[in-house]
Amino acid sequence: MNRSLIPKLIEEQNKKFAKEHQFHFNYLGEAISRKGFEIAALLKKIKNFQVAIPSWALGTGGTRFGRFPMGGEPRNLEEKIEDIGLIHLLNKSSNSISLHVPWDKPADITAIRQSLKANDLVIDSVNSNTFQNQSDQKHSYKFGSLCHVEKHVRAQAIAHNLECIEHGEKLNAKTLTVWLADGSNFPGQHHFRKAYEHTHESLAKICKGLPTDWNMLIEYKPYEPNFYSMVIPDWGTSYSLCQSLGTQANVLVDLGHHLPNANIEQIVARLMHFGRLGGFHFNGSMYGDDDLTTGSIKPYQFFLIFNELVDGMEDRKVKNPSLAWMIDASHNTKDPLEDLMQSVEMILNTYAKALLVDRKKLSEAQEENDVVRAEEILKESFQTDTRPLVAEAMKQKGGALKPIDVFRAARVRDTLIQQRGKSSLATGL
Ligand SMILES: [Mn+2]
């Protein structure tokens, strides 16, 4: 990929859209100012918001039925860094990578560091994988990892997590994310309390291996790949583990890891109230862990979730750690890079909408039990077209007003196919 051509293209395209953009930005700016919001302050917050991209989201993912690669997929970690660097170059809002071990085990640390620097990126978190067997491992995870009935299997899974921390330390990461596929498929298979105890004991050992400036995020998921029970199926289980493990462990909410119609915004509010929300995985979902583009199916629900996030972040009484933001998707229909750019723009726009909620008025309406007014205040923000604000934020940082347009004008995918081949496959799901 010839990155050096992109800045000029961004400049050309921004020029092309400048007049139209200015018209919409002025209009929105005027409307927002009249409501008492400061444009400069809003722009600053949006400009500071960065979303991590996972190393496994750069190829066309598959389902258990098939995989249809589109060509030009990154063949190694260096090429994945280049792809994420390109997204960041276009939107200036995705400055970090979440690394998966062992799919993207960093081999040549010096080269990876240089590549990160050249692409203006940092490593955000390291994700362990005990949901698959690797060719060089001694014991199988077929019946679980950290929860396993046999001590040596648990020890192997613990050692893998500690190895992830080691890799992360070399690259300046500060977070270990643990998601467990552990669970059972049939009644009677697991002794629920024992499975929890083993998991707790294993996580405590991993926690002991965390450097003092590191965090561990514990993700939950109600079903899949196990369908009768998961050891950490819900936020309550994850929260109970974190409470007992200490302040370095916090709960991670993945939007797709809930049963249909779960009130995720209330879960977010609850966890922030306890100061235990550590991170967030963005994706879109119709039924479950669908990994669709963020906000593509239920944008209003996504807004309500962001509304709680912003409420918690802006309230000084809330003592919640700063949050790690990441897109967790593995897309199988769109060009993964376009999909990620769509997600980032959706995240920024929804954040902007949540920033526009008049919290004082909302609180007054709530205190007066004025249900209609409270709901209308939220709807007014949700229905505000914040796109000019987000575009302006990206432009001010040197990015494109319309990142996907530049991506297409630069014919990036064609170039990647030429360089990497039609059938290159990225590691991942
Ligand atoms: Mn996730």
Side-chain angles (χ1 to χ4, degrees):
M1 189 49 233
N2 194 351
R3 271 174 63 100
S4 59
L5 298 173
I6 302 284
K8 195 163 169 351
L9 259 175
I10 292 176
E11 206 187 310
E12 278 171 24
Q13 292 266 321
N14 284 0
K15 235 183 226 165
K16 191 174 137 192
F17 295 119
K19 216 172 152 194
E20 186 196 336
H21 166 68
Q22 206 55 47
F23 171 79
H24 291 292
F25 182 66
N26 290 347
Y27 174 79
L28 178 65
E30 177 70 30
I32 289 174
S33 304
R34 279 189 199 180
K35 287 181 189 162
F37 290 100
E38 256 185 68
I39 285 288
L42 287 169
L43 271 174
K44 197 176 164 200
K45 285 180 184 167
I46 298 165
K47 279 158 82 175
N48 285 336
F49 201 96
Q50 296 285 336
V51 189
I53 307 286
S55 61
W56 59 93
L58 301 159
T60 34
T63 65
R64 63 202 170 101
F65 300 104
R67 185 171 175 180
F68 307 97
M70 66 179 314
E73 292 189 13
R75 294 161 295 186
N76 50 47
L77 182 53
E78 283 84 345
E79 289 183 352
K80 289 182 178 185
I81 293 172
E82 277 173 29
D83 283 9
I84 297 171
L86 177 72
I87 297 175
H88 186 51
L89 188 63
L90 292 166
N91 67 20
K92 295 286 178 188
S93 308
S94 341
N95 72 350
S96 52
I97 306 180
S98 206
L99 213 58
H100 183 284
V101 177
W103 293 339
D104 298 298
K105 200 186 269 188
D108 185 344
I109 296 290
T110 318
I112 303 281
R113 278 194 195 136
Q114 278 169 357
S115 181
L116 287 169
K117 204 170 167 218
N119 285 281
D120 194 17
L121 298 173
V122 292
I123 298 284
D124 167 70
S125 67
V126 185
N127 300 258
S128 61
N129 172 351
T130 57
F131 51 85
Q132 288 176 321
N133 284 344
Q134 306 304 325
S135 55
D136 56 348
Q137 83 185 48
K138 211 168 156 195
H139 310 293
S140 173
Y141 293 137
K142 181 174 179 182
F143 297 111
S145 59
L146 296 183
C147 79
H148 204 280
V149 287
E150 288 173 35
K151 201 176 175 188
H152 53 268
V153 183
R154 300 199 297 273
Q156 176 183 277
I158 293 165
H160 166 70
N161 276 278
L162 295 174
E163 188 201 330
C164 287
I165 299 171
E166 260 175 56
H167 289 302
E169 272 196 290
K170 287 181 198 149
L171 294 168
N172 243 344
K174 299 284 174 215
T175 306
L176 172 73
T177 302
V178 179
W179 170 67
L180 298 176
D182 293 8
S184 69
N185 265 325
F186 298 97
Q189 186 185 335
H190 262 188
H191 185 284
F192 293 143
R193 276 186 287 116
K194 262 190 209 164
Y196 179 93
E197 273 166 28
H198 283 150
T199 305
H200 176 237
E201 195 186 284
S202 304
L203 286 169
K205 286 182 181 158
I206 297 167
C207 233
K208 266 196 183 144
L210 284 174
T212 49
D213 58 345
W214 272 58
N215 296 304
M216 177 161 74
L217 297 178
I218 301 178
E219 202 168 345
Y220 57 89
K221 184 172 177 178
Y223 69 92
E224 201 206 17
N226 280 291
F227 291 92
Y228 174 61
S229 76
M230 293 285 275
V231 177
I232 311 180
D234 50 33
W235 71 271
T237 306
S238 182
Y239 169 75
S240 73
L241 288 165
C242 293
Q243 278 296 82
S244 140
L245 290 168
T247 52
Q248 277 179 283
N250 281 303
V251 180
L252 185 140
V253 173
D254 182 312
L255 290 179
H257 290 191
H258 299 88
L259 295 172
N261 300 329
N263 189 334
I264 304 174
E265 53 270 33
Q266 191 178 22
I267 294 173
V268 166
R270 197 71 89 228
L271 286 169
M272 288 186 100
H273 177 73
F274 294 137
R276 280 298 192 174
L277 182 62
F280 222 83
H281 281 179
F282 296 112
N283 46 49
S285 150
M286 178 73 186
Y287 302 104
D289 195 19
D290 306 346
D291 274 349
L292 300 175
T293 315
T294 308
S296 58
I297 306 286
K298 295 173 187 161
Y300 188 52
Q301 182 201 35
F302 189 43
F303 163 76
L304 295 174
I305 293 166
F306 244 112
N307 175 50
E308 293 304 330
L309 289 167
V310 168
D311 191 77
M313 289 189 293
E314 307 231 316
D315 188 339
R316 283 198 191 130
K317 292 195 297 292
V318 176
K319 304 283 177 229
N320 195 71
S322 63
L323 293 164
W325 310 105
M326 188 190 98
I327 293 172
D328 189 2
S330 172
H331 207 69
N332 55 33
T333 313
K334 298 172 181 168
D335 182 314
L337 297 182
E338 292 190 356
D339 171 59
L340 288 163
M341 283 188 280
Q342 276 189 302
S343 280
V344 173
E345 282 184 54
M346 187 67 182
I347 292 163
L348 292 178
N349 274 292
T350 310
Y351 175 48
K353 285 173 197 278
L355 288 172
L356 289 173
V357 172
D358 191 326
R359 295 195 184 273
K360 195 165 165 276
K361 280 192 184 153
L362 179 61
S363 173
E364 282 165 12
Q366 286 166 344
E367 293 299 319
E368 288 162 16
N369 291 314
D370 192 337
V371 185
V372 170
R373 197 164 149 244
E375 192 191 0
E376 287 301 318
I377 288 166
L378 290 181
K379 271 162 55 181
E380 189 179 320
S381 304
F382 172 65
Q383 282 161 354
T384 305
D385 183 358
T386 51
R387 288 175 301 173
L389 194 62
V390 170
E392 179 67 20
M394 294 194 293
K395 189 193 83 175
Q396 286 191 10
K397 288 191 288 185
L401 284 169
K402 299 185 180 195
I404 296 172
D405 280 36
V406 179
F407 177 84
R408 290 193 168 188
R411 304 184 69 83
V412 174
R413 184 54 59 186
D414 292 345
T415 318
L416 291 176
I417 290 173
Q418 271 170 26
Q419 288 171 350
R420 301 170 183 173
K422 187 84 192 134
S423 53
S424 66
L425 276 185
T427 43
L429 289 170

